[in-house]
Amino acid sequence: RTMRAEGDLKSQLRRAAISVVSNISEGSEHGSDREFHRFLVIANASAAEVEAQIIIAGDIDCLDRTTADAITEQCRYVG
């Protein structure tokens, strides 16, 4: 693994995690249940992206397996 790949993964993981909370927040301000639901669906997709990236981080030894598994479980709970 390269430092560049780790940096790219870290950057993408950060963007996806921020997207989860940002979409929930934005959706809650739109004023309709339909729009809020749409943003929740987008947030859920971002949570799934975070989960996939954590699994990758564990697979390439950027995270130890125990930590990766614990975070993955939290992603599933949030989703």
Side-chain angles (χ1 to χ4, degrees):
R1 76 181 191 226
T2 66
M3 294 298 288
R4 170 98 169 121
E6 289 177 16
D8 290 346
L9 180 61
K10 182 179 177 181
S11 178
Q12 183 61 31
L13 179 57
R14 181 177 288 130
R15 283 192 301 273
I18 290 168
S19 180
V20 174
V21 69
S22 295
N23 278 293
I24 293 169
S25 179
E26 185 176 351
S28 70
E29 294 299 316
H30 270 268
S32 77
D33 289 345
R34 183 177 180 178
E35 280 296 295
F36 185 44
H37 180 264
R38 185 172 74 83
F39 279 90
L40 290 178
V41 168
I42 295 167
N44 190 50
S46 293
E49 183 179 355
V50 169
E51 180 182 343
Q53 292 161 354
I54 292 297
I55 291 168
I56 292 166
D59 288 348
I60 64 173
D61 296 325
C62 288
L63 286 174
D64 65 85
R65 180 54 49 201
T66 302
T67 302
D69 290 346
I71 295 171
T72 298
E73 191 59 38
Q74 290 174 356
C75 288
R76 290 180 183 153
Y77 176 77
V78 168

